[in-house]
Amino acid sequence: MRGGHDAIIVGGGPAGATAAILLAQSGWRIAVVEKAVFPRRKVCGEFISAATWPLLRELGIADALSASAGPAVRRVGVFAATARLTAPIAARCEDAIESGRAIGREILDTVLLDRAREAGAEVWQPWHLGAFAANADGYACRIEEQGGGRTRALHAPIVIAAHGSWESGPLPTQNFRKPPCASDLLAFKARFLGGELPEGLMPLIGFAGGYGGMVRSGDGRVSLSCCIRRDYLESCRRQWPQRRAGAAVLAYISGECAGVAAALSAATLDGAWLAAGPIQPGIRGFGRDGVFTVGNAAAEAHPIIAEGISMAIQSASLLCEQLLARRGAALTPDVLAAVRRDYAIAWRRNFSRRLHVAALFAHLFMRPATTRAAIALLRQFPSVLTQGARWSGKVEPLRSRRSLHAAGTICR
């Protein structure tokens, strides 16, 4: 490989840091460009599924994360209107660490990026990508220090776009701006102390105009994350004009959903509400030429299934598997096209069903009529909840990574 680095990774979150670790461990010269200062809080459900913990162990960070993670999630549920239904997340669950667990992004992101540094990646933080151009040897990138005025030139034959889905930028994968629409889904997240959510339970929350979820993260906190339509958010702001947006959304959800009201009736807010959006579910693509996408830059599922972090980490591992399989090969256009083709096949095999299931659940639980029908079905057949957890990828090993299938016991 030619140039200053073998790959430049734009974004140091879970997807970008995972790619940096896997490639740097294999001897690649990696540069990671991350604009934010860590530790940072993010709008995120915080849940990491059972199928992802073996990969975290391969990355060398499972023990560090386990010490700060919440309790093992053994049951899933639905809180909607007055209904509070639960079911086992899987038919068999033996190893606590290999069950899904929640952990704050301020911990997860910091541990992952620190591990990338330890593996040998060069981390530029807080810096951002200012300019990007293709040339005969790959890609020339100008990076700029956040608030500092300094610039640097980086070059590599491969660029991995791990920039998430919120902001536009110079990469061809960073064009997210759309006109505001009443049906846009805006994301909110907060954590609470003293909540009464049962340990080991992760309920889906359904309410008119949106959906959400709750889980216990580390230090006894209860994390609530949700998405709400823009027009419903505006209605909340009018109904509670003296409250900030997040507090108004919580007041609305608590009135709509008895389970949320009960779980948080005696709780106190831990820190500020976070907001972001609008979310844009769907497959965006896997890049072009020598630019590859991972995490939300590749695709985004409705967060109702709480698989965002897991999909980010797993998608990075799938791409790296394809890149490392061509170790030593000249990165000709045909080789790069083959990497993208095989990566796309592996990605769709693992995640396409999750996107469809997430979209189905989102549309079911955002509408009162379909929510009532779903609740009636779940009362009669609670095992459908367990099956839904499997469909959403909670307990299935990542396909095409055979070394992970036997790495530990996973809930089944």
Side-chain angles (χ1 to χ4, degrees):
M1 296 184 181
R2 301 174 61 187
H5 295 88
D6 298 326
I8 298 168
I9 301 174
V10 180
T18 296
I21 296 167
L22 291 171
L23 295 176
Q25 285 180 158
S26 296
W28 285 42
R29 295 165 295 170
I30 300 299
V32 181
V33 184
E34 170 52 53
K35 65 182 181 180
V37 176
F38 291 178
R40 61 169 179 185
R41 292 183 64 199
K42 291 272 288 183
V43 178
C44 174
E46 301 189 348
F47 182 71
I48 302 176
S49 66
T52 308
W53 283 94
L55 177 54
L56 295 177
R57 183 174 291 109
E58 183 178 313
L59 298 176
I61 60 172
D63 290 342
L65 293 178
S66 178
S68 301
V73 173
R74 307 286 192 174
R75 299 183 69 81
V76 288
V78 173
F79 289 176
T82 60
R84 282 180 262 184
L85 309 177
T86 70
I89 198 169
R92 179 169 58 87
C93 207
E94 295 179 353
D95 186 341
I97 198 172
E98 303 304 339
S99 298
R101 304 175 72 186
I103 187 166
R105 287 290 297 272
E106 70 273 19
I107 298 172
L108 173 67
D109 291 9
T110 302
V111 170
L112 273 167
L113 198 55
D114 284 349
R115 179 70 188 96
R117 289 188 181 93
E118 292 171 3
E122 180 182 283
V123 178
W124 295 84
Q125 185 187 33
W127 290 63
H128 69 273
L129 183 65
F132 165 87
N135 56 36
D137 296 325
Y139 299 97
C141 297
R142 188 185 77 243
I143 63 172
E144 302 172 355
E145 187 180 22
Q146 295 282 91
R150 293 185 297 169
T151 65
R152 292 289 187 275
L154 303 179
H155 185 272
I158 289 174
V159 171
I160 298 177
H163 45 63
S165 60
W166 301 123
E167 297 180 8
S168 295
L171 288 177
T173 57
Q174 284 183 299
N175 184 18
F176 301 119
R177 298 189 185 278
K178 293 183 179 180
C181 176
S183 61
D184 286 343
L185 285 170
L186 288 305
F188 288 84
K189 180 260 187 75
R191 291 192 298 217
F192 299 85
L193 294 170
E196 296 297 327
L197 183 71
E199 186 169 308
L201 173 65
M202 184 170 67
L204 177 160
I205 302 166
F207 55 91
Y211 56 77
M214 302 176 74
V215 69
R216 283 194 173 274
S217 57
D219 296 328
R221 295 178 176 89
V222 172
S223 174
L224 182 148
S225 55
C226 64
C227 291
I228 186 169
R229 282 174 53 119
R230 189 186 296 275
D231 51 356
Y232 278 77
L233 174 61
E234 292 171 356
S235 176
C236 291
R237 300 297 297 272
R238 290 192 298 269
Q239 187 172 355
W240 292 279
Q242 304 304 318
R243 302 187 185 187
R244 298 181 69 88
V249 169
L250 178 60
Y252 171 64
I253 296 174
S254 297
E256 289 275 304
C257 184
V260 173
L264 300 181
S265 61
T268 57
L269 182 66
D270 178 36
W273 277 91
L274 304 181
I279 67 167
Q280 298 179 43
I283 297 177
R284 299 187 173 92
F286 304 101
R288 69 185 191 202
D289 303 324
V291 178
F292 298 90
T293 58
V294 292
N296 279 4
E300 187 173 6
H302 277 276
I304 193 169
I305 62 170
E307 281 294 295
I309 297 175
S310 294
M311 287 177 61
I313 293 171
Q314 292 175 12
S315 68
S317 75
L318 291 173
L319 173 61
C320 292
E321 184 175 50
Q322 298 303 324
L323 290 171
L324 294 175
R326 275 81 176 183
R327 191 190 318 235
L331 296 178
T332 64
D334 286 344
V335 169
L336 293 174
V339 169
R340 176 168 293 99
R341 179 199 65 218
D342 292 345
Y343 168 51
I345 291 171
W347 193 100
R348 292 179 186 277
R349 182 183 300 128
N350 282 279
F351 305 132
S352 287
R353 186 173 67 182
R354 296 190 207 185
L355 265 67
H356 295 310
V357 169
L360 172 62
F361 288 177
H363 291 292
L364 275 177
F365 289 101
M366 290 174 65
R367 297 169 171 83
T370 51
T371 297
R372 288 193 295 269
I375 293 298
L377 173 66
L378 293 173
R379 288 190 192 280
Q380 292 293 318
F381 305 101
S383 62
V384 173
L385 270 174
T386 302
Q387 184 65 24
R390 187 177 73 81
W391 288 337
S392 67
K394 294 282 181 296
V395 295
E396 292 188 341
L398 191 62
R399 300 181 193 179
S400 84
R401 290 187 61 81
R402 295 180 183 176
S403 63
L404 295 184
H405 291 186
T409 302
I410 292 178
C411 302
R412 305 215 182 265

